């Protein structure tokens, strides 16, 4: 099974669009969880205090992708959904976009808003470095010390990475690996532990 590759961005970028007096500050950022997004949204608000609207969208995770958007007081479907369509159209995953609008005194109408929010999000993405990433899955497992070396060697072979380790009576390990290696890893863990180890899939 080949690794599936997805597009994301390497770091946050911001672009400014001006339309009939209104200013649209669009920022895109890598975002792997909803908690990540909450922090990013708070930061975007801090960097753009006093904006009339903070409209946003995100696409998080693989198969299925978690998608959500907000118009934040703009006419329904005129802001968040256009931003989301830009992210989806570029096949982005683990990416969020917040557009802070400062009203300039002239109403743009629904069509004008759709164009403005779409263009602002597109401009921010154009500023960002787009990279390809593997679909990866995350697990938690408790290991006896006697098989720790075998586990670490297996993880290296399968392109896995230890995210967090806690050492107590046993070793508690959170790790991730390419989705395509999942069956191999689970089978190997069963072999080296005589069927005792059953890693738990983490969200």
């Amino acid at each position: 099974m080949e690794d599936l590759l997805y597009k994301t961005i390497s770091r946050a970028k911001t672009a400014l669009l001006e339309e009939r007096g209104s200013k649209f500050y669009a920022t895109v950022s890598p975002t792997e969880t909803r908690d990540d997004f909450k922090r990013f949204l708070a930061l975007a608000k801090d960097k753009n205090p006093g904006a009339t609207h903070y409209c946003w969208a995100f696409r998080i995770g693989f198969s299925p992708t978690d998608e959500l958007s907000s118009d934040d007081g703009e006419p329904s479907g005129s802001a968040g959904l256009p931003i989301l369509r830009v992210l989806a159209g570029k096949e982005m995953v683990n990416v969020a976009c917040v557009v802070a609008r400062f009203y300039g005194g002239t109403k743009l109408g629904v069509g004008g808003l759709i164009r403005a929010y779409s263009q602002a999000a597109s401009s921010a993405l154009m500023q960002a470095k787009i990279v390809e990433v593997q679909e990866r899955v995350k697990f938690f497992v408790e290991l006896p010390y006697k098989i720790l070396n075998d586990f670490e060697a297996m993880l290296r072979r399968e392109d896995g990475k230890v995210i967090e380790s806690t050492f107590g009576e046993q070793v508690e390990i959170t790790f991730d690996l390419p989705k395509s290696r999942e069956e191999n890893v689970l089978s190997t863990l069963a072999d080296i532990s005589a069927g005792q180890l059953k890693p738990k899939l983490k969200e």
Side-chain angles (χ1 to χ4, degrees):
M1 180 179 178
E2 294 184 358
D3 291 332
L4 295 176
L5 297 177
Y6 294 84
K7 295 177 183 177
T8 189
I9 60 176
S10 58
R11 60 180 179 175
K13 286 291 183 178
T14 299
L16 168 63
L17 173 74
E18 297 188 53
E19 183 68 25
R20 297 172 66 183
S22 286
K23 293 183 178 181
F24 297 81
Y25 290 89
T27 303
V28 291
S29 177
T31 305
E32 295 189 355
T33 67
R34 288 197 174 204
D35 284 340
D36 283 350
F37 171 71
K38 290 176 183 177
R39 289 188 287 270
F40 167 50
L41 179 59
L43 181 61
K45 290 181 177 181
D46 286 343
K47 288 187 174 181
N48 298 282
T52 315
H53 304 279
Y54 300 94
C55 304
W56 53 262
F58 63 68
R59 302 187 79 236
I60 296 172
F62 313 97
S63 304
T65 298
D66 181 16
E67 298 181 331
L68 199 63
S69 64
S70 170
D71 296 313
D72 191 37
E74 294 280 33
S76 179
S78 68
L81 188 57
I83 297 169
L84 181 59
R85 285 173 175 161
V86 169
L87 298 181
K90 297 294 185 180
E91 300 178 330
M92 294 288 109
V93 294
N94 291 348
V95 175
C97 178
V98 176
V99 181
R101 180 194 180 189
F102 292 84
Y103 182 58
T106 301
K107 293 184 177 181
L108 302 182
V110 172
L113 289 171
I114 290 173
R115 286 190 296 273
Y117 280 102
S118 297
Q119 290 172 10
S122 294
S123 296
L125 270 184
M126 288 177 64
Q127 298 293 324
K129 180 180 179 181
I130 296 175
V131 295
E132 289 188 330
V133 294
Q134 296 170 318
E135 179 180 5
R136 299 179 73 88
V137 288
K138 187 184 297 184
F139 288 93
F140 170 82
V141 68
E142 294 184 53
L143 295 173
Y145 283 90
K146 64 182 181 181
I147 65 170
L148 179 59
N149 288 340
D150 289 340
F151 170 80
E152 291 177 335
M154 178 273 300
L155 206 58
R156 286 193 295 271
R157 288 196 305 272
E158 300 293 349
D159 193 25
K161 296 178 182 178
V162 173
I163 298 170
E164 184 178 5
S165 301
T166 302
F167 297 89
E169 291 186 6
Q170 296 197 94
V171 188
E172 298 179 354
I173 297 178
T174 299
F175 65 97
D176 74 357
L177 63 148
K179 174 70 173 176
S180 61
R181 312 289 180 89
E182 181 179 354
E183 287 188 17
N184 288 348
V185 168
L186 295 181
S187 176
T188 301
L189 282 177
D191 289 343
I192 65 177
S193 68
Q196 297 301 306
L197 289 182
K198 295 181 179 179
K200 298 177 182 178
L201 188 65
K202 296 192 70 174
E203 295 296 329

